[in-house]
Amino acid sequence: MRLLIAEDELDLAEALEVFFTKNQFTVDVVNDGASAYDYASADEYDAIILDVMMPKMNGIEVLRRLRADGNSTPVMMLTAKAQKDDRIEGFDSGADDYLPKPFEPDELISRVRAILRRRQVYKPSILTFGDVSLNPASDMLECTTGKSARLSGREFQVMELFLHSPKTVLSADRIMERVWGWDSDAEINVVWVHISNLRKKLKSIGSKVTIHANRGLGYILEAEND
């Protein structure tokens, strides 16, 4: 497994490099956001660990640029900023998980392995509904219009859940449990954030498929003229 660690605290970066190397990861380490973006853009990694507060470019901006480029590598955010709004900003930008400092190395590696497992588990054959299809080989949401949009790891999992049960109301709690797990520190608000992102991407590719809110019950995937 190849891992990119972007951390500007030199002692912590070195400690993480030693720890992950001892656990059979191949590790590249950078100490600023610009280098993180360059490394992640130029090479392929199985996962990326991004500190938020870094010189030259903060971790959120690095993540946004990578996702805008179509890079869907799983990303774990590390930060001393642990407020709810900060976590939501991270997830909204395309993060797969978010771990506040200070943390135990064992918890970090456990979470990294978890996002890698989820990426492998949530890779079925192509799923279709209405005029859209979800391609696990490329993480692309594709429409019969010929347009497509790349999904982040969490967006992929949420969309897959809907495509497995179209026309079925899914509660926010169920989505949270199936995608994030109840042991996650994420707030229930991240479900809405990811659904909002999926709605925008469905619209951007010209799809007639929509995710409707069913007040008090949850969300449902429907297709126009269905």
Side-chain angles (χ1 to χ4, degrees), residues 1 46 113-124 157:
M1 290 289 181
D46 294 292
R113 286 171 172 161
I115 62 176
L116 290 170
R117 283 196 303 271
R118 286 196 294 267
R119 188 175 180 83
Q120 294 167 357
V121 170
Y122 286 93
K123 297 292 182 184
Q157 294 170 34

Side-chain angles (χ1 to χ4, degrees), residues 24-108:
Q24 286 72 57
F25 283 80
T26 299
V27 182
D28 288 334
V29 176
V30 296
N31 304 119
D32 64 79
S35 296
Y37 176 74
D38 290 342
Y39 270 65
S41 299
D43 214 336
E44 292 187 6
Y45 293 93
D46 294 292
I48 300 171
I49 296 176
L50 278 180
D51 184 27
V52 171
M53 302 302 292
M54 291 188 292
K56 297 185 180 181
M57 190 187 306
N58 67 52
I60 295 295
E61 182 61 24
V62 173
L63 179 57
R64 286 175 177 162
R65 292 193 183 190
L66 290 175
R67 295 306 189 224
D69 293 343
N71 189 319
S72 60
T73 303
V75 171
M76 163 73 72
M77 304 298 294
L78 288 184
T79 181
K81 299 174 67 177
Q83 297 301 314
K84 180 178 70 175
D85 289 346
D86 297 323
R87 295 198 301 271
I88 290 176
E89 182 182 23
F91 286 124
D92 195 17
S93 300
D96 293 272
D97 205 351
Y98 202 107
L99 184 61
K101 298 175 181 178
F103 56 83
E104 294 295 331
D106 288 344
E107 181 180 6
L108 174 59

Side-chain angles (χ1 to χ4, degrees), residues 1 46 74 96 112-127 134-137 139 153-154 156-161 164 177-180:
M1 290 289 181
D46 294 292
D96 293 272
V112 169
R113 286 171 172 161
I115 62 176
L116 290 170
R117 283 196 303 271
R118 286 196 294 267
R119 188 175 180 83
Q120 294 167 357
V121 170
Y122 286 93
K123 297 292 182 184
S125 57
I126 293 176
L127 296 172
L134 187 63
N135 188 339
D139 293 327
R154 297 287 193 184
F156 182 97
Q157 294 170 34
V158 173
M159 192 66 195
E160 184 187 33
L161 192 60
H164 273 302
E177 180 182 10
R178 293 290 300 276
V179 176
W180 281 267

Side-chain angles (χ1 to χ4, degrees), residues 56 109 127 138 141 157 194 196 201 204 206 210:
K56 297 185 180 181
I109 195 169
L127 296 172
S138 60
L141 183 64
Q157 294 170 34
H194 283 71
S196 177
K201 290 185 178 182
S204 74
T210 57

